[in-house]
Amino acid sequence: DVMDLRDPARPRKIFEIPAAAQLGGGVNHVDVHGDVVAVSASGTPQTDPGRVGFYDPDGRLRASVTVGPRPDVVAFSPDGGVLVSANEGTPSDDYAVDPETSVSIVDLGGGLDGLDQSDVRTARFDGYPGGRLPAGMQPGRPESSDAQNLELGYVTIAPDGRTAWLTAQESNGLAA
């Protein structure tokens, strides 16, 4: 929903963006930079890769890209040149499918008109140094790998745009 908040005591709905239908799954998060609205949506089922759609202020879908399973929070870098998606990788209810967490970095430097999948880089956590979760982090489900247990959720980006911090709340940790 796009709301008019000029009078906070009386918010008014202006229009609705059909993001779930356009992106193929349930909407998880929204972030805005300038006149670009980024919307993350899970795949169907949520264990499949998700999508991030980029909309203009009038609600028109300008571009979309595929990211990892269950893109949770998305965040623009301060200059708007990059969008980071924390792909939680939430398992199915019965754990028959338990995707790994990942982080997708979308390069927006070329603008939305030419944006395509080649502008997306996804970092995985299946081979990070040390091979096991650091001391103090909780493994969650012992049968699952560390990359499945991390389930990265929230993301924030440093003011200089060079570092993103992501929470691994189910595992009691942070990734940078």
Side-chain angles (χ1 to χ4, degrees):
D1 293 341
V2 177
M3 307 294 290
D4 179 344
L5 298 175
R6 286 180 283 196
D7 181 355
R10 289 192 224 22
R12 184 176 61 85
K13 181 177 174 179
I14 303 171
F15 62 90
E16 186 175 308
I17 298 173
Q22 292 173 329
L23 300 175
V27 171
N28 296 319
H29 195 255
V30 174
D31 195 21
V32 177
H33 186 275
D35 62 354
V36 179
V37 179
V39 176
S40 66
S42 293
T44 303
Q46 75 173 356
T47 54
D48 282 356
R51 295 193 65 76
V52 175
F54 297 90
Y55 292 84
D56 67 20
D58 296 321
R60 286 185 297 266
L61 180 62
R62 299 273 316 277
S64 68
V65 294
T66 300
V67 294
R70 191 159 190 295
D72 198 351
V73 173
V74 291
F76 283 101
S77 61
D79 68 359
V82 170
L83 180 107
V84 176
S85 175
N87 308 316
E88 191 167 356
T90 304
S92 60
D93 290 340
D94 63 359
Y95 280 88
V97 179
D98 190 0
E100 295 179 353
T101 196
S102 62
V103 177
S104 294
I105 302 164
V106 183
D107 181 353
L108 300 169
L112 296 180
D113 291 333
L115 185 68
D116 64 23
Q117 207 56 43
S118 69
D119 295 308
V120 181
R121 301 286 183 259
T122 298
R124 297 178 49 186
F125 289 80
D126 57 343
Y128 64 90
R132 298 301 305 161
L133 290 174
M137 290 185 72
Q138 306 300 315
R141 186 169 189 262
E143 304 85 9
S144 297
S145 71
D146 288 344
Q148 291 167 313
N149 277 324
L150 284 174
E151 296 188 21
L152 298 176
Y154 297 95
V155 60
T156 190
I157 301 175
D160 67 4
R162 297 178 49 88
T163 306
W165 288 277
L166 300 103
T167 63
Q169 62 190 26
E170 286 86 351
S171 301
N172 191 38
L174 292 171

